[in-house]
């Protein structure tokens, strides 16, 4: 009996450990975040900043600097930054090309402005960055998708 309960206790601890290592999952990244009634307006907002290498470099500096985006989204954009590991749902994985295909830049801007309610993604304009800085960051976040 004593052996069995010890065994159960150890396996439970191991299960907990593996859960905390794997971390939380993303909330389905293919589903829109902008409320339906605001979607048309959000999609109509076009990125005024062309995704040149200069813009992407600026975006990286804001992402890793004053924007603090890397804290949650990770320096490699995988959604596994030091603060992101504690969040449920977990931060967006920007290396996922399927996600990028599902979103217009205007929708990403909407979330950076308004946050994604019920998640750790809070409104960051103007708290962390200006709108213009956020367009550069969007260009950088797009660049994490390397494939199709
Ligand atoms: C405190 C942690 C945290 C920080 C800091 C943070 N994010 Fe996020 N972000 C999240 C989480 C969590 C999600 C996932 C939200 C969801 O699933 O709806 C997310 C999702 C996103 C999305 C995806 C929205 C969509 O349409 O699905 C974008 C774009 C984004 N963040 C941009 C940024 C930018 C730009 C910054 C820096 C200026 C930033 N985030 C900083 C936690 C964070």
């Amino acid at each position: 009996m004593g052996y069995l309960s010890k065994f159960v206790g150890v396996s439970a601890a191991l299960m907990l450990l593996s859960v905390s290592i794997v971390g939380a999952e993303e909330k389905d990244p293919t589903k829109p975040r902008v409320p339906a009634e605001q979607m048309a307006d959000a999609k109509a907002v076009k990125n005024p900043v062309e995704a040149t290498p200069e813009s992407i470099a600026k975006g990286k500096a804001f992402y890793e600097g004053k924007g603090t985006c890397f804290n949650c989204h990770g320096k490699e954009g995988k959604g596994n930054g030091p603060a992101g590991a504690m969040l449920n749902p977990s931060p967006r994985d920007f290396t996922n090309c399927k996600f990028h295909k599902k979103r217009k830049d205007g929708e990403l801007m909407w979330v950076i402005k308004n946050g994604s309610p019920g998640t750790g993604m809070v409104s960051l304009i103007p708290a962390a960055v200006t709108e213009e800085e956020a367009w550069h960051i969007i260009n950088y976040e797009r660049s994490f998708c390397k494939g199709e």
Side-chain angles (χ1 to χ4, degrees):
M1 186 61 195
Y3 172 76
L4 184 67
S5 60
K6 204 168 165 189
F7 175 76
V8 170
V10 169
S11 358
L14 281 176
M15 272 168 67
L16 275 177
L17 191 67
S18 59
V19 165
S20 64
I21 288 170
V22 173
E25 292 202 359
E26 278 182 287
K27 206 167 102 187
D28 187 352
T30 61
K31 298 253 162 67
R33 293 297 187 264
V34 177
E37 70 279 5
Q38 294 182 48
M39 187 55 99
D41 287 345
K43 280 188 173 167
V45 176
K46 301 285 181 239
N47 190 339
V49 181
E50 205 190 324
T52 58
E54 290 73 26
S55 164
I56 291 171
K58 274 190 191 170
K60 181 180 193 316
F62 295 136
Y63 181 96
E64 294 179 357
K66 64 186 286 200
T68 71
C69 319
F70 78 97
N71 264 331
C72 293
H73 292 279
K75 283 213 168 161
E76 277 87 47
K78 292 195 184 117
N80 59 356
M86 290 177 296
L87 296 175
N88 188 3
S90 65
R92 186 67 64 251
D93 174 357
F94 294 124
T95 66
N96 177 3
C97 299
K98 284 198 191 109
F99 161 72
H100 291 287
K101 283 213 182 93
K102 289 277 178 186
R103 295 280 197 280
K104 299 282 179 226
D105 282 3
E107 295 178 78
L108 301 184
M109 178 53 83
W110 189 95
V111 170
I112 302 169
K113 264 189 193 162
N114 298 282
S116 178
T119 77
M121 180 67 199
V122 296
S123 161
L124 291 168
I125 300 172
V129 289
T130 66
E131 195 167 321
E132 203 211 312
E133 288 164 349
W135 287 123
H136 292 292
I137 301 176
I138 287 174
N139 288 338
Y140 179 58
E141 287 176 345
R142 295 291 196 191
S143 76
F144 284 119
C145 156
K146 303 291 182 204
E148 289 288 296

